[in-house]
Amino acid sequence: MLLVENLVKEFQNTTAIDNISFKVEPGEIFGLLGPNGAGKTTTLRTVLNIIKPTSGKVLFNDQLITGDFLNHIGYLPEERGLYKKSKVIDVILYFAELKNMKRTEAVKQADSWLKRLDIFHYRNNKIDELSKGNQQKVQFIMSVIHNPQLLIFDEPFTGFDPINQQEIRELIFSFVSEGKIIILSTHQMETAEKLCTDIFLLNNGKEVTSGKLSHIKKEFGGNHVEIKFSGDVSFISSMAEVITVDTYNNYAEVHLKAVVEPSDFLKKITYKIDITHFSVIEPTLNRIFIDLIKQN
Amino acid sequence: MKKILTIARWEYLEKVKTKTFIISLVITPLIIIMFSLLPTLLTQKEDQRTKVIGVVDTSGIFFHRLNDELEQYKLDDNQPNYILLNLADNKKTLEQLKTEADKNVIDNKIEGFLFILNSGTDSLEIEYRSENLGNFKDLRRFEEKINRIRIQNELNARGIDPSLAAFVQNSIEIEQIKIEKSGEEGKQNFLVVFFSAFIFIMLLMMMVIYSGQLLVRSLIEEKSNRLIEILISSCTSEQLLAGKILGLSALGLTQIFIWSLIGITLVGGAVIPPAAFDNILIMLVYFITGFIFYTTIFVGIGSIVTTEQEAQQMTTYISLILILPVVVAMPAIQNPDSMMVRVMSYIPLTIPSMMLLRFKIAPVPLIDIIITLNIMFVSTIITLKIAAKIFRIGILSYGKKPTIKELIQWLREE
């Protein structure tokens, strides 16, 4: 279990992390969400012991993350990069050995991962001969090759095409069933919604909300409907029943006030536009996220 | 410890494989040797061709004597160095002779010509006219011989005993001999002393610049592609620092080893006199300690700078300090006990190169060796500690270069 208690990180004149606490259990994906500059990466760096917190502590299975514990952590940083002039296999082995793997075991695992991600034929190529997506795969391998108990992925899907995103997603799910502790930091709400069981929403270094995704949806979900239509719907946003409305081409998502019955709302608008589809929907995490951040 | 070795091995292998390293390994000593030996070779080597020198001698007494005297100069293949050509011709005026001879020089029929104008009893006006005014050696020889003939003539004319005349004309040359310890005689001359010290200092400087740049460049790369974060989440910054310095030192030792091989080959080929390798072991000690000292400085710098240009600037400044002793080499050789030399051989930044120089000039007292090595040792540890602190914070601060104030703050953090 990973436990973060009252973490504070101050830089010279800013507070990057302002007293946050959370815990991550094995076998779940913990989503650390927030807009750009919210303090996600700083939080991760503190957890990884890359930077020291001003106060608070990080415990991994009740112990501080130092020395040997570093060998049980896998980290995929947001900004990717590798030694461009070095060979794929050499780079992977270097980082595997830095995680205290034996060389023979590292070679075995590296080959198996290269095959699994379908880049075995680049094994002896230089990094800069690989496409950007394949370089990312190499970096992904580096973060998981030593079979770490704690996995930290910072925006793991950026730079991957949809097929590879799917592949990486499946791999991450497989780590869940292996009982690993996984932290996923992202601002892509769709990804978080699909993967995470628990989320922690961070803004300006402070906790906005946290908990099980299903609870958060219930709590902040509200009253949402989806309409498909033809005609002009600009009048909807000025209706008394409506809080917000997102209008697309011939499709709109409407956030109704809690007291409004969706069926009453439907009756009111059928006179003005042709409706081809009407349904009550669960709000997307994206919607909740935007609303919460705006409220803040 | 295992991680330190892993890092060291990576740093070493990845750099030793680069083309630039392999090229620098061979090219650097070649350039240095060329630069240091070329002037010596050029000035000392006889011009291996026979020169035809014209003589217009109005006095009529110099040509044959001069011809005899100059015969002593032979080329390597035993051909005469100079052939004199008598240009005197009674039918022509002096002006005519001069113009004609000038033309011959320009047409490269003769190298140049001596124009000896006898205008009175003991008053001679002599010109050496040629296209090339830089030929000091030829001119010095002509001067010496003509003067010799002139004096001899005068002594003969006054009826001086020929043996006394010969004695008067003989001069004595002083041979310089460097005294090594316990009364051994060193046979090296000034140029050998100067250039062998010069070569070692240049090698040290090139090595420091080169590996310093490698180190700084790799740090900048790791910073800019954030690999540093993965590294630091895999090992401590102390391990990373130690590994890098170890790997780079191994790289330096490889360079020394290969350069020594080149040096030995050159000695074998008689290009470098064996005297250049006197005291080589103790010099190697200074070489290596100097290298490690500078490497730790570069680590500190590498963790501060953010772009390659900045890095280049910094490395250049630092390397200039290393070469400072070469600038003061002349006065140091003339007076090894001068204040400046002594002071410079106690400043950590200049100890390595200064001591390399001192070993070549005069025997260095044991006490000086002990003191300077201790200074090196202590200052290396101090810079290492400072560098480690800057390194720990610097490698994770991206973007702007820290100000001096921020740097001091970093050093204060425990």
Side-chain angles (χ1 to χ4, degrees), chain A residues 207-256:
Chain A
E207 176 182 337
V208 177
T209 186
S210 67
K212 293 253 171 274
L213 180 64
S214 49
H215 294 174
I216 288 174
K217 279 203 166 179
K218 247 177 228 156
E219 187 179 343
F220 298 99
N223 203 355
H224 288 253
V225 294
E226 178 189 88
I227 342 168
K228 286 180 183 157
F229 59 85
S230 57
D232 181 19
V233 292
S234 52
F235 68 95
I236 292 183
S237 57
S238 55
M239 286 170 70
E241 292 86 349
V242 173
I243 299 173
T244 55
V245 58
D246 288 337
T247 315
Y248 304 94
N249 203 7
N250 51 1
Y251 158 82
E253 265 180 50
V254 187
H255 186 181
L256 299 171

Side-chain angles (χ1 to χ4, degrees), chain A residues 61-279:
Chain A
N61 293 340
D62 298 326
Q63 287 191 279
L64 290 171
I65 298 183
T66 49
D68 285 346
F69 272 88
L70 289 175
N71 298 333
H72 302 299
I73 297 177
Y75 177 42
L76 182 69
E78 178 181 5
E79 285 174 76
R80 314 288 157 73
L82 294 160
Y83 298 107
K84 298 231 173 311
K85 298 285 170 206
S86 305
K87 277 191 203 168
V88 169
I89 185 72
D90 289 346
V91 177
I92 296 177
L93 292 182
Y94 174 43
F95 284 94
E97 282 184 274
L98 270 185
K99 293 290 188 184
N100 248 357
M101 280 183 93
K102 290 228 159 42
R103 191 158 181 99
T104 44
E105 176 65 14
V107 173
K108 214 175 97 192
Q109 286 297 325
D111 285 347
S112 124
W113 275 104
L114 286 169
K115 279 176 192 149
R116 202 159 159 188
L117 288 175
D118 207 24
I119 49 171
F120 185 73
H121 48 292
Y122 293 123
R123 189 181 189 273
N124 293 313
N125 284 54
K126 287 194 175 145
I127 295 283
D128 61 1
E129 292 165 2
L130 269 62
S131 70
K132 208 169 165 230
N134 285 333
Q135 289 185 23
Q136 304 241 37
K137 286 186 182 175
V138 174
Q139 194 148 20
F140 185 82
I141 294 175
M142 273 158 51
S143 63
V144 299
I145 185 168
H146 52 294
N147 194 23
Q149 294 169 39
L150 172 60
L151 276 160
I152 296 182
F153 298 117
D154 198 352
E155 302 288 357
F157 302 106
T158 48
F160 279 122
D161 62 31
I163 297 167
N164 286 323
Q165 282 192 19
Q166 179 59 31
E167 199 171 350
I168 297 295
R169 202 175 297 141
E170 278 164 16
L171 280 172
I172 293 179
F173 273 127
S174 75
F175 298 141
V176 176
S177 52
E178 287 167 25
K180 295 188 193 304
I181 299 175
I182 301 166
I183 299 180
L184 187 138
S185 161
T186 183
H187 56 249
Q188 293 181 349
M189 294 305 136
E190 282 165 51
T191 315
E193 196 163 2
K194 281 177 197 150
L195 288 177
C196 303
T197 37
D198 276 57
I199 64 163
F200 188 99
L201 185 55
L202 197 65
N203 193 29
N204 293 328
K206 291 191 184 71
E207 176 182 337
V208 177
T209 186
S210 67
K212 293 253 171 274
L213 180 64
S214 49
H215 294 174
I216 288 174
K217 279 203 166 179
K218 247 177 228 156
E219 187 179 343
F220 298 99
N223 203 355
H224 288 253
V225 294
E226 178 189 88
I227 342 168
K228 286 180 183 157
F229 59 85
S230 57
D232 181 19
V233 292
S234 52
F235 68 95
I236 292 183
S237 57
S238 55
M239 286 170 70
E241 292 86 349
V242 173
I243 299 173
T244 55
V245 58
D246 288 337
T247 315
Y248 304 94
N249 203 7
N250 51 1
Y251 158 82
E253 265 180 50
V254 187
H255 186 181
L256 299 171
K257 284 179 182 163
V259 291
V260 178
E261 276 298 319
S263 55
D264 294 342
F265 175 70
L266 176 62
K267 276 176 208 155
K268 275 199 172 174
I269 59 171
T270 39
Y271 302 109
K272 300 184 178 166
I273 46 172
D274 289 334
I275 290 167
T276 55
H277 172 88
F278 183 90
S279 61

Side-chain angles (χ1 to χ4, degrees), chain B residues 173-270:
Chain B
E173 280 176 13
I174 299 175
E175 195 184 346
Q176 258 190 306
I177 289 173
K178 183 186 165 207
I179 298 169
E180 305 278 5
K181 51 184 175 269
S182 68
E184 289 169 32
E185 283 184 4
K187 287 258 165 23
Q188 42 185 295
N189 65 23
F190 169 77
L191 282 170
V192 173
V193 170
F194 179 72
F195 283 117
S196 55
F198 182 71
I199 288 173
F200 281 108
I201 295 172
M202 286 296 278
L203 282 179
L204 178 61
M205 189 195 67
M206 299 291 261
M207 212 168 97
V208 165
I209 297 181
Y210 184 74
S211 7
Q213 269 169 359
L214 274 184
L215 177 83
V216 172
R217 200 174 298 157
S218 86
L219 275 173
I220 291 175
E221 187 190 9
E222 282 164 356
K223 259 168 97 163
S224 66
N225 62 22
R226 305 292 151 99
L227 272 172
I228 198 80
E229 296 191 2
I230 305 184
L231 288 169
I232 288 298
S233 63
S234 308
C235 63
T236 64
S237 61
E238 287 78 15
Q239 287 171 330
L240 186 60
L241 180 69
K244 277 181 182 292
I245 292 181
L246 199 64
L248 212 64
S249 303
L251 200 70
L253 283 175
T254 311
Q255 268 173 319
I256 294 177
F257 178 71
I258 294 183
W259 287 352
S260 307
L261 285 186
I262 295 177
I264 291 165
T265 328
L266 288 175
V267 171

Side-chain angles (χ1 to χ4, degrees), chain B residues 327-346:
Chain B
V327 181
V328 301
M330 282 292 183
I333 290 173
Q334 281 163 4
N335 187 3
D337 293 322
S338 74
M339 195 59 187
M340 179 182 60
V341 174
R342 295 196 84 90
V343 169
M344 279 178 73
S345 53
Y346 292 120

